[in-house]
Amino acid sequence: MMEDKKILSEEVVLSEVILDRTNRAFEMIRQERMVDMNIHNEKKRRFFRSQIAAIVGIGLLIMCGVGAAATIHHYWGRGMKGNLQADETQQQQLVDDGIAEVYPEKEDYESLKVTQNGVTIVPHTVIADERFAYISFVISGYNIDQEKEPDFEITNVKSQDVEVNSYGQMYNGIVSGEDGKPVYEDGTPIHLSEGESVVDHYFDENGNLEYTIVAHVSYEKDSILGKMLEVDFQNLGFLEEQGYENVVDGTWDFEIKLPSVSAAKDIQLDKEIAGTDFKITNVELSPISMKANYIRLSESATGENEPEVPTIEGVILKDGTRLPYLMDAGDAGYYTDGSRKAYNLSGYDRVIDVEKVQALLIRPYSDGEIVIVDMQ
């Protein structure tokens, strides 16, 4: 129905036809499954949590009285809100700040849909900072047994502008609690089927799915802001023990222009990490990811004998709240310039307010005890 390629403009246009778009705004909600893609650079230590953050969006547009100006509320959809666990204020703020874009608010939203063999896919929400991008897609018209695990046969994410690593998943209604344990999006405990397998909630009340992609830069000094990503889906089916089973043939291709607004705050620390040979020089915090820079204190131990780079696992907020399992996908390693400098790059499992972060929870090495580094 649509041509294979859709170039999605970075610009978010807020139409005056508010009532028309209010109806579209309620077309929401989706689900999960992970696919690793584009692993790069042997010097890095990559890590992925089984329940990955997702990020979808819906724009709920409301008329504020007769003759009054229309107020636009950017509420994210089920998958994005569940996986990034953003409250209404955070959702609104990230869109207002230009960090997130809600595609149902675009004037050309209907034209962005691509349909193949009765299955329609359309971008929903895009969020980006210097290092990470979160993209969600709504899938409609796909009908299978709701106990099956839906997935694409192939998902490719690439860019002509910057090299990226990425993974994708169908949102299944399961999120990570503050203790790191999986729960359903409404906070209720996970249910098991008669066969003792986890009961997933892939389909929303309208029978739609949501697929989310997380992409981050392959090279630690690159930026993903404002770059164009090419996202290609091929064939749609489900997963079973024997592997992938195809149901619908098709190719759904998109080009996604990422937001270009910087959300990072660079905080200088210059503090030694107890029990290690490292000093953390600075940390770049954004609402959706962070990058820490280190320097090894000793001149010795180079090449294969280089000590393991510390990784940040969580934060302590100024009100005393601990988020020990905040970090999600990312990597850690040494810069390739031959120096003693190293880095740790990681996305989050929830949106945070950068101004409320008091301290970092750092694991100095794989089986080491957590070290607290105050950011004051």
Side-chain angles (χ1 to χ4, degrees):
M1 183 184 298
M2 314 286 5
E3 66 249 38
D4 284 344
K5 285 282 183 183
K6 301 298 174 188
I7 298 181
L8 309 178
S9 134
E10 177 187 353
E11 180 179 347
V12 177
V13 182
L14 303 180
S15 168
E16 294 179 356
V17 191
I18 299 300
L19 291 178
D20 219 23
R21 294 160 91 207
T22 301
N23 292 330
R24 275 206 314 263
F26 285 95
E27 177 196 313
M28 63 187 276
I29 318 179
R30 349 281 124 170
Q31 298 32 57
E32 138 182 13
R33 169 60 168 126
M34 254 176 87
V35 179
D36 281 6
M37 299 168 266
N38 312 329
I39 298 302
H40 173 274
N41 194 335
E42 295 178 357
K43 292 231 21 156
K44 300 179 180 181
R45 177 160 59 93
R46 296 201 188 287
F47 40 91
F48 299 94
R49 282 242 301 269
S50 60
Q51 295 300 325
I52 303 295
I55 331 152
V56 148
I58 62 165
L60 176 58
L61 312 179
I62 301 174
M63 289 296 292
C64 296
V66 178
T71 300
I72 309 231
H73 297 279
H74 314 283
Y75 298 130
W76 300 353
R78 179 184 176 221
M80 216 50 113
K81 183 174 67 174
N83 281 321
L84 276 187
Q85 303 183 63
D87 61 31
E88 292 182 1
T89 300
Q90 290 171 324
Q91 294 170 48
Q92 180 86 19
Q93 192 65 54
L94 264 61
V95 177
D96 289 345
D97 289 346
I99 300 166
E101 295 181 351
V102 178
Y103 274 71
E105 295 178 357
K106 290 180 175 289
E107 289 284 3
D108 59 350
Y109 175 67
E110 292 297 324
S111 70
L112 303 178
K113 297 179 178 180
V114 177
T115 300
Q116 294 277 300
N117 293 321
V119 174
T120 298
I121 302 178
V122 63
H124 201 296
T125 297
V126 178
I127 305 174
D129 66 5
E130 280 79 358
R131 301 161 289 269
F132 278 78
Y134 299 81
I135 309 168
S136 67
F137 295 84
V138 174
I139 303 164
S140 58
Y142 180 50
N143 301 308
I144 59 168
D145 187 334
Q146 295 203 7
E147 294 183 359
K148 294 185 182 298
E149 184 177 356
D151 205 353
F152 292 102
E153 182 176 18
I154 298 173
T155 303
N156 288 320
V157 179
K158 61 183 180 179
S159 174
Q160 303 300 319
D161 302 321
V162 62
E163 186 170 340
V164 296
N165 295 320
S166 61
Y167 56 85
Q169 63 182 359
M170 290 285 185
Y171 178 63
N172 67 352
I174 297 175
V175 301
S176 176
E178 290 189 4
D179 60 358
K181 297 179 180 179
V183 295
Y184 289 118
E185 57 195 346
D186 62 2
T188 57
I190 297 298
H191 299 296
L192 298 180
S193 67
E194 292 182 0
E196 296 298 308
S197 59
V198 172
V199 176
D200 296 302
H201 299 159
Y202 286 105
F203 290 88
D204 70 12
E205 60 188 9
N206 298 314
N208 294 333
L209 296 167
E210 184 175 296
Y211 193 87
T212 61
I213 288 172
V214 181
H216 68 84
V217 294
S218 293
Y219 295 102
E220 59 279 357
K221 292 184 178 181
D222 282 345
S223 172
I224 206 169
L225 282 175
K227 302 299 193 297
M228 185 78 78
L229 293 185
E230 299 174 13
V231 180
D232 305 324
F233 300 111
Q234 295 180 32
N235 301 334
L236 184 58
F238 59 89
L239 297 176
E240 51 186 2
E241 290 184 5
Q242 295 79 10
Y244 172 81
E245 183 73 25
N246 193 54
V247 177
V248 179
D249 292 328
T251 301
W252 299 264
D253 297 343
F254 301 88
E255 290 187 350
I256 307 289
K257 183 66 179 291
L258 299 178
S260 58
V261 177
S262 175
K265 180 180 180 181
D266 190 352
I267 301 170
Q268 300 299 310
L269 294 175
D270 287 321
K271 295 186 177 184
E272 293 187 18
I273 302 172
T276 76
D277 189 33
F278 288 92
K279 174 190 288 187
I280 181 169
T281 58
N282 69 300
V283 61
E284 301 168 33
L285 288 178
S286 94
I288 59 173
S289 80
M290 74 169 61
K291 178 184 178 185
N293 288 303
Y294 309 98
I295 187 166
R296 200 178 68 241
L297 299 176
S298 67
E299 296 276 353
S300 60
T302 59
E304 293 183 359
N305 296 319
E306 289 173 333
E308 188 176 343
V309 176
T311 56
I312 300 174
E313 294 197 357
V315 299
I316 301 175
L317 304 182
K318 291 178 180 178
D319 65 1
T321 301
R322 283 179 175 249
L323 300 175
Y325 305 101
L326 175 67
M327 300 308 161
D328 214 319
D331 58 56
Y334 287 85
Y335 286 106
T336 56
D337 57 6
S339 68
R340 291 173 287 143
K341 296 178 181 179
Y343 68 93
N344 172 203
L345 177 69
S346 183
Y348 305 150
D349 75 343
R350 68 195 64 219
V351 172
I352 66 168
D353 184 339
V354 172
E355 300 299 330
K356 294 181 179 180
V357 177
Q358 173 71 33
L360 304 174
L361 300 175
I362 300 179
R363 192 170 298 279
Y365 43 87
S366 296
D367 56 352
E369 295 294 324
I370 290 292
V371 174
I372 298 175
V373 175
D374 195 271
M375 296 183 61
Q376 303 304 310

